Amino acid sequence: MKKCTLPVLEMSCSVCANNVENKVKSLPGIHTAAVNFAANTLTIEYDPEQIALPQIKAEVQSIGYDLIIDEENQEEIQEEAQKTHYSLLKKKTITAWGLSIPVMLLAMFFMHLPGSKWIMMILTLPILFYAGSDFYIHAWRQAKQHTANMDTLVALSTSIAFLFSLANTIYPQFWTAQGMEAHVYYEAAGMIIAFVLLGKLMEERAKNSTTSAIKGLMGLQPKTARKITETGEVEVAIGQLQPNDQISVRPGEKIPVDGVVVEGGSYVDESMISGEAIPVKKQPGDRVLAGTINQRGTFILKATQVGSTTILAQIIRMVQEAQGSKAPVQKTVDRISRIFVPTVISISVITFIAWIAIGGNHYFSQALLSAVSVLVIACPCALGLATPTALMVGIGKGAKHHILIKDAYALENLCKVNCVVLDKTGTLTEGHPTVTDTWWTSNADPILSSILLAAEQKSEHPVATAISEYLEKEGCVTPKINSFESIPGKGIEFTFEGHEYWAGNLSFAKARQTKLSEDILLLTDRWAQGNKSVVYYGDENRLIAVFAINDSLKPTSAQAVRLLKRKNIEVHMLTGDEKKTAQAIAQSLGIEHIQSEVMPADKETYIKELQQKGKNVAMVGDGINDSQALARADVSIAMGKGTDIAMDVAMVTLITSDLLLLPKAIRLSQKTVRLIHQNLFWAFIYNVISIPVAAGILFPINGMLLNPMWASAAMAFSSVSVVMNSLRLKHSAI
């Protein structure tokens, strides 16, 4: 399966988005398809062996829309298409208003001027057939597919108003013979187009603001790089670079690809990726990332990841896919959108019939105006924009603050969390443990240190790394051990020249029936109370050594725990450390719920038990041994400096090691979901109230009848207000 996000052109409302989505979903080889109306994108997962992108494009074109499938220059093509569309939309809006205002003035103040009706008709023609041409073209395409959208409503309402007015201009005697005035509504037809176009123009500008975060991330990618060849430096496009190419980077330039410094050195600003404000010193052998900024020196790097495989490209892709995903609540909105336009047309017809049934021909004008007003005032766009605009702003804001949210489901679930489970190592602590104290048995053979070093170098655990670094400093050599086995959550077993050795925690030592003297127990107890982990080392018969390992708590861990508890969120800590060490660390952080000496499977069981108690659990971890627990949790959160496996499983990734991002992520989720609910409420209420008013429900009470011109203004305002409400989040603090 292959997954990609493609720009969609020619969509005008949420019904269009549904049409494209349903069409693509019906094609063979399509696993999933989701259209984001606010971003104008289609995210698909498909089987390339069954269907190709050109086939998908052709199918989308067959229903009146288009796709950009050129992945190489996708952003540039989409940006150019958006600029062209916006420029044309602006011209049409200016034309519509420039002609509609004179028509409205004639209708209001000079109706009885000789030839005024013919003048209004002539001025209205370019409004409809130039400024409003897209509405009629799209409506016709929808009709051929036996579907309808917002364009259908605009095309119907303006056509009815114009054709009725044209008939009354050419043959007014039909009404005057009955003692009635032959009314014309050219101003309604013209102003409907003008208001809808103005709303579209404002909507486009506002929608562009919702994508500013992803555009900012894309802006971090330089367009060219200086590749070193046999003949010297050559400036090439980023897309031409290959792994192992050597690239020169000068002061002030953005690094074009992920790579390793091979010559020279500098300080690099990595704040856009890591969140760390202080520039990082780089010298030969150090890794550098695409999008970061070289500050001082000049250096040469060897490319390791290029194009879509760089860390920055992966972050951009993750944010794009998240912004294109659909929140669970959107499924209900999509179902409503599918029946929205046919329902509105039916209400319009019923409105017209009801007016005629009540008042006969004398109420024909009111019947026509009310029917047209119903068509114009109904707004499927507000419903369609309510959820995706809020999601795009929320997920984009998260990315800007180094919080990567995988999809809308994760964002919506995060605000429901009332229990957070924190792995200790790498989450609450720095994840860089060091040996601070040691105890060795008397007359220990120096070879025992070398044997342990050889074994610890084979382990991936941070504690093993700490012991290895300590023993290397002591000048130990590394003999070849005969066998090695890592026992998750306990320690390691290994053999050397026929003798068995082991290293691990207290429970591992006790399981091997190792004798621990009173002095050793007192010593390790004192270490544990100082927040230090204890590792025991022995052979078949005795205890050889004991190590005190200190992994410093992150400066922000205690504050993050306080903020979570202030939100009435239960905080739990899981660790493989022995009980006394765990209790000491938990006490210093203010955590009441702890579980020590846990195995990887125990973490999953612990979360399952919390869920059975009715808790919505978020698990925060950073290692391979957290993957089971992350997969089990309602919301899985990985620390960005953890392993790739943890990040793949996680719904949310905190790019930096700062745990304060966790309460920020929860606040962001709460604000975004609240915004979605607000948008949906006002979009529904708008249609529930406005459609009956447009139909004339207030006429018997106070004689109020809504003019289609003002109905179109209300419709345009409803869409814009939803987008503007979503943009409030962009400027609010989290």
Side-chain angles (χ1 to χ4, degrees), residues 538-593:
D539 59 18
E540 307 105 314
N541 307 311
R542 58 177 177 154
L543 180 70
I544 297 172
V546 187
F547 299 87
I549 314 289
N550 181 48
D551 188 3
S552 302
L553 290 171
K554 292 175 183 174
T556 56
S557 291
Q559 186 183 353
V561 170
R562 283 197 301 273
L563 290 172
L564 291 170
K565 290 169 72 175
R566 200 177 295 167
K567 289 180 169 292
N568 295 319
I569 296 173
E570 270 187 21
V571 181
H572 297 244
M573 184 185 82
L574 302 182
T575 177
D577 288 338
E578 58 182 276
K579 189 173 181 180
K580 288 180 181 177
T581 303
Q583 286 176 334
I585 292 171
Q587 188 174 358
S588 66
L589 292 170
I591 299 175
E592 291 88 11
H593 308 281

Side-chain angles (χ1 to χ4, degrees), residues 88-330:
L88 183 59
L89 182 60
K90 191 174 181 180
K91 287 178 184 175
K92 289 186 174 184
T93 304
I94 293 169
T95 301
W97 278 98
L99 295 173
S100 293
I101 290 173
V103 173
M104 187 177 66
L105 292 173
L106 281 170
M108 292 176 67
F109 304 110
F110 306 102
M111 174 58 73
H112 300 291
L113 190 73
S116 62
K117 291 180 181 179
W118 289 98
I119 296 170
M120 287 191 286
M121 185 267 287
I122 292 168
L123 291 174
T124 305
L125 282 171
I127 300 175
L128 269 61
F129 296 109
Y130 168 69
S133 58
D134 286 343
F135 297 119
Y136 302 102
I137 293 168
H138 293 156
W140 175 243
R141 287 175 181 169
Q142 295 300 315
K144 288 197 294 184
Q145 297 295 324
H146 306 293
T147 59
N149 64 0
M150 190 202 76
D151 296 322
T152 308
L153 298 179
V154 174
L156 274 176
S157 58
T158 52
S159 297
I160 291 168
F162 179 79
L163 291 173
F164 178 74
S165 302
L166 182 63
N168 285 356
T169 303
I170 296 171
Y171 187 59
Q173 293 84 356
F174 178 83
W175 298 105
T176 54
Q178 301 178 51
M180 298 167 63
E181 188 174 348
H183 293 288
V184 293
Y185 301 105
Y186 291 117
E187 84 285 358
M191 290 301 286
I192 287 170
I193 297 289
F195 271 120
V196 174
L197 286 175
L198 180 62
K200 282 287 176 190
L201 191 69
M202 294 172 68
E203 187 183 303
E204 284 297 318
R205 289 191 64 177
K207 278 165 65 179
N208 286 339
S209 296
T210 66
T211 60
S212 60
I214 195 71
K215 287 177 181 174
L217 285 172
M218 288 178 174
L220 296 175
Q221 296 176 305
K223 304 296 181 187
T224 61
R226 271 189 305 279
K227 180 181 173 181
I228 298 176
T229 66
E230 294 177 356
T231 57
E233 293 184 7
V234 179
E235 190 164 328
V236 298
I238 293 296
Q240 296 177 19
L241 295 174
Q242 299 294 326
N244 297 319
D245 282 348
Q246 292 200 344
I247 300 151
S248 173
V249 184
R250 297 173 184 171
E253 292 182 341
K254 291 176 182 174
I255 295 170
V257 294
D258 292 354
V260 176
V261 176
V262 293
E263 186 180 319
S266 182
Y267 282 85
V268 175
D269 178 2
E270 296 184 335
S271 59
M272 63 287 297
I273 301 290
S274 68
E276 304 294 338
I278 301 173
V280 181
K281 186 178 181 180
K282 299 292 180 181
Q283 50 194 15
D286 289 340
R287 188 184 184 195
V288 290
L289 300 174
T292 57
I293 301 172
N294 179 27
Q295 290 206 325
R296 298 184 189 176
T298 298
F299 60 86
I300 296 172
L301 68 89
K302 182 174 77 172
T304 53
Q305 279 87 34
V306 300
S308 61
T309 62
T310 65
I311 295 293
L312 178 61
Q314 290 176 47
I315 290 172
I316 291 171
R317 186 166 60 251
M318 184 176 177
V319 175
Q320 282 179 320
E321 289 175 0
Q323 289 184 330
S325 63
K326 289 192 176 185
V329 69
Q330 184 66 26

